[in-house]
Amino acid sequence: GAVVSQHPSRVICKSGTSVKIECRSLDFQATTMFWYRQFPKKSLMLMATSNEGSKATYEQGVEKDKFLINHASLTLSTLTVTSAHPEDSSFYICSARVAGIGELFFGEGSRLTVL
Amino acid sequence: AQSVAQPEDQVNVAEGNPLTVKCTYSVSGNPYLFWYVQYPNRGLQFLLKYITGDNLVKGSYGFEAEFNKSQTSFHLKKPSALVSDSALYFCAVRVTGGGNKLTFGTGTQLKVEL
């Protein structure tokens, strides 16, 4: 299957700082990537759809200015958590869909802890 | 709106016994259905999908699922469970022509014991 790489896998930061998480499709081009947030023992919440070369589409209730998404190339999307606070601590997972194939391929996730 | 229900938070099975993880869905239109597995602190791994065709779908690691349109279900099954199957399982649905958005169930924790 297609490989999606996510980095970093774990990050700890101080409250008020910004953190960038990268999501790369390693062996395919992804015009669309998705960012999810997962709370402990909970399902995945879609945060936004990242579109290459255009603005991301955010789900209702997700702060655009808080969670900045950039999809500068066909293989890279980034999520920046700005002015992070402890309540932003979570597991963030990106995914991408290969054109013509139904399923999504997921990154390994990034555990963010804000102190 | 599309939705997925996984009625069981946890399923416990003895190794060697058959396992079933339940999933029902609600969509307007024809569904694409998926099962994913997640190990602790990891991303999701694709197991299998139903798009069209045979209602019985076979996937990775010996798992299979049956699409039942009348019952709007897509239960995940395996004839003989392994301890290594213990993980969090997610059912997901996407509607044909509905874009790329997947809707996930709340997940079912499978625990396989010796």
Side-chain angles (χ1 to χ4, degrees):
Chain A
V3 179
V4 176
S5 173
Q6 201 171 330
H7 178 80
S9 58
R10 290 179 180 271
V11 57
I12 301 172
C13 69
K14 293 182 179 180
S15 186
T17 60
S18 295
V19 174
K20 181 185 283 187
I21 300 170
E22 293 186 348
C23 179
R24 295 180 184 273
S25 57
L26 295 187
D27 51 0
F28 66 101
Q29 293 183 330
T31 55
T32 303
M33 292 184 175
F34 305 89
W35 287 96
Y36 291 85
R37 180 174 179 174
Q38 186 179 31
F39 297 94
K41 296 185 179 180
K42 292 290 184 183
S43 186
L44 285 78
M45 181 192 79
L46 179 63
M47 298 175 65
T49 302
S50 172
N51 304 299
E52 187 268 336
S54 65
K55 291 183 179 180
T57 304
Y58 289 82
E59 295 300 302
Q60 192 172 7
V62 178
E63 298 177 61
K64 300 178 184 180
D65 297 331
K66 170 68 137 175
F67 299 100
L68 298 179
I69 291 173
N70 183 275
H71 195 153
S73 77
L74 287 171
T75 59
L76 174 63
S77 175
T78 60
L79 168 67
T80 301
V81 183
T82 63
S83 187
H85 291 283
E87 58 264 31
D88 298 325
S89 298
S90 194
F91 194 55
Y92 294 89
I93 309 176
C94 72
S95 70
R97 192 169 77 96
V98 179
I101 298 177
E103 65 269 28
L104 290 180
F105 294 94
F106 286 81
E108 288 294 292
S110 299
R111 170 80 55 197
L112 171 63
T113 303
V114 184
L115 302 177
Chain B
Q2 57 199 43
S3 66
V4 177
Q6 292 181 245
E8 303 152 317
D9 285 341
Q10 181 159 324
V11 170
N12 297 323
V13 177
E15 188 175 51
N17 283 0
L19 69 86
T20 298
V21 182
K22 295 179 181 178
C23 171
T24 58
Y25 65 91
S26 175
V27 299
S28 52
N30 294 319
Y32 288 174
L33 293 155
F34 306 84
W35 275 102
Y36 287 86
V37 59
Q38 185 182 33
Y39 295 96
N41 294 308
R42 304 292 294 276
L44 276 68
Q45 295 178 32
F46 170 75
L47 277 180
L48 51 81
K49 66 183 177 185
Y50 171 82
I51 303 296
T52 187
D54 287 343
N55 290 340
L56 183 63
V57 178
K58 293 186 183 296
S60 305
Y61 313 119
F63 284 94
E64 59 187 31
E66 186 165 13
F67 172 62
N68 188 317
K69 189 172 183 177
S70 63
Q71 297 185 3
T72 62
S73 68
F74 190 57
H75 302 329
L76 181 70
K77 299 183 179 185
K78 187 174 182 180
S80 179
L82 298 172
V83 172
S84 57
D85 292 330
S86 299
L88 185 57
Y89 289 81
F90 289 101
C91 182
V93 67
R94 181 164 70 91
V95 180
T96 56
N100 295 317
K101 190 180 296 187
L102 267 188
T103 299
F104 284 87
T106 50
T108 298
Q109 185 69 48
L110 174 67
K111 188 173 182 181
V112 182
E113 299 168 309
L114 290 170

